[in-house]
Amino acid sequence: MSKHLRPVLVVTNLMDETADVVIRVLNARAVPVVRLDPGVDIQQGGSLAATLGTSQMQGHIATATRRIELHDVRAVYWRRPSLYSPPAGLEGLAGEWAVHQFRWGLGGVLAALPHCLYLNHPWRNREAEYKPAQLIAADRVGLHTPQTLITTDPQQARQFVAAQHDGAIYKPLWTSPYPDQDGRARTVWVTTVDPREITDAVSVCPHLFQAKLPKDFDVRLTAVGDRLFAVRIDIDGDHLDWRKDYAKLSYAQVPVPADVAAGVRAYLDAYGLVYGAFDFAVTGEGQWTFIECNPNGQWAWFPEEIRDPIAQALADQLQKGHS
């Protein structure tokens, strides 16, 4: 293929609406796209063949309907692929063994494609998902961060929470479903915490407590390369965690202070990221405080006038490929 026809590989599940938006932009530009859900497609009529030990990786990945040559990939848009699962008919240890071979074999090939841009590389995404490391990295690049305690010591947790002038909050170190008393999955939201509520159950696993910030509003800052898209998020009501009810949110684009912009770009460089979805809390004095950065965060729920420029910026990066 000539360079202008080299395809973009989109690695994600079938129901990923965020990827859909970017794919539509690439299609409108006549940029070839191959969509792959590696945990599903190879087992449903697809195939993998990769020859190593030459000057460049040779071979292909095919789905039931598309085929892509490994050395032709222009860029990889790594979004939300399904988890690998055992092939039909394989159970127990044999199924687990096959899952590991998929993860380390197919996953390893997808992470080693030559001469292409990753947005983002899956290994960089994983490295950048740990909240303790995020806070340290943000502080090192000059972003303001909240006082934070991660502990399994109930007494230390009580002392930390009691010492916070404006109160304290608890949030999980990783967002995953948590079963209630009836076994139904529920989401653990960010919540305020009182020292008297803290029990010895804190000793079961690490817990994250933070100083509660006297914020006026939140900002979701979406970074695509050097382009920053900052959106003020206001809530109709007193919701500490704005993700709980999107129907009560309103949005407005806001400029990014120069020191925050410099910190965000240095943060991306520190992790080797092209993309990041940053959350900030902003006080009445105009202090932007870093809360976290999701290296694969969502943005497609924004209104069209906010969403479309982000989609165009992502398409620009993917179309350009590796510089």
Side-chain angles (χ1 to χ4, degrees):
M1 289 186 180
S2 61
K3 184 174 181 180
H4 72 281
L5 291 178
R6 291 176 61 197
V8 171
L9 180 62
V10 179
V11 181
T12 197
N13 66 80
L14 184 62
M15 305 305 293
D16 184 1
E17 296 181 2
T18 298
D20 293 344
V21 178
V22 177
I23 290 172
R24 286 196 292 269
V25 175
L26 292 170
N27 286 338
R29 299 180 181 187
V31 176
V33 175
V34 174
R35 185 172 188 148
L36 173 72
D37 191 355
V40 175
D41 290 334
I42 302 302
Q43 297 186 33
Q44 296 183 358
S47 65
L48 161 70
T51 302
L52 312 177
T54 58
S55 59
Q56 60 181 352
M57 185 185 296
Q58 301 287 340
H60 74 272
I61 292 176
T63 71
T65 59
R66 304 295 299 275
R67 175 186 171 108
I68 190 168
E69 300 300 319
L70 300 178
H71 65 275
D72 277 340
V73 179
R74 175 199 308 238
V76 176
Y77 185 26
W78 196 281
R79 274 287 302 158
R80 304 285 176 91
S82 302
L83 297 176
Y84 293 105
S85 58
L90 282 184
E91 299 178 353
L93 290 177
E96 291 181 20
W97 189 87
V99 166
H100 287 301
Q101 304 315 301
F102 268 108
R103 179 176 297 118
W104 297 99
L106 175 56
V109 168
L110 289 172
L113 298 176
H115 312 302
C116 72
L117 170 79
Y118 282 89
L119 197 163
N120 292 311
H121 195 286
W123 299 347
R124 305 291 85 76
N125 276 348
R126 178 57 64 183
E127 290 173 0
E129 286 177 333
Y130 291 88
K131 286 184 172 63
Q134 287 187 12
L135 291 164
I136 292 171
D139 183 69
R140 285 176 175 169
V141 299
L143 295 171
H144 187 263
T145 58
Q147 287 292 312
T148 303
L149 171 69
I150 299 170
T151 186
T152 60
D153 184 332
Q155 184 58 29
Q156 188 181 30
R158 295 185 194 102
Q159 292 172 353
F160 175 85
V161 170
Q164 304 310 310
H165 181 266
D166 293 307
I169 59 99
Y170 162 80
K171 65 180 180 181
L173 286 152
W174 182 257
T175 300
S176 56
Y178 182 84
D180 62 16
Q181 294 180 342
D182 298 322
R184 295 171 299 188
R186 57 188 292 257
T187 299
V188 179
W189 303 104
V190 178
T191 183
T192 55
V193 61
D194 185 277
R196 294 166 294 184
E197 298 175 303
I198 297 174
T199 71
D200 289 345
V202 167
S203 65
V204 172
C205 63
H207 287 61
L208 187 153
F209 300 95
Q210 268 181 348
K212 184 181 179 183
L213 300 169
K215 63 179 179 180
D216 269 17
F217 57 90
D218 293 276
V219 166
R220 165 58 66 88
L221 189 159
T222 305
V224 184
D226 289 331
R227 299 167 70 178
L228 307 181
F229 304 88
V231 181
R232 171 174 174 157
I233 301 175
D234 288 290
I235 306 169
D236 182 14
D238 184 20
H239 293 289
L240 182 64
D241 192 331
W242 54 261
R243 302 169 301 167
K244 292 177 71 173
D245 193 346
Y246 284 81
K248 294 185 176 181
L249 304 180
S250 60
Y251 311 101
Q253 293 172 294
V254 293
V256 183
D259 60 332
V260 174
V264 164
R265 293 187 175 108
Y267 183 100
L268 293 176
D269 289 343
Y271 276 113
L273 302 174
V274 179
Y275 171 90
F278 292 77
D279 288 323
F280 290 90
V282 183
T283 67
E285 290 74 32
Q287 174 69 65
W288 287 45
T289 298
F290 171 93
I291 303 300
E292 62 183 65
C293 173
N294 186 336
N296 206 357
Q298 307 282 35
W299 48 268
W301 87 89
F302 282 135
E304 183 175 340
E305 65 272 15
I306 296 174
R307 181 197 68 199
D308 286 358
I310 297 174
Q312 295 289 340
L314 287 163
D316 288 345
Q317 290 281 340
L318 295 167
Q319 184 174 357
K320 179 182 177 183
H322 185 71
S323 58

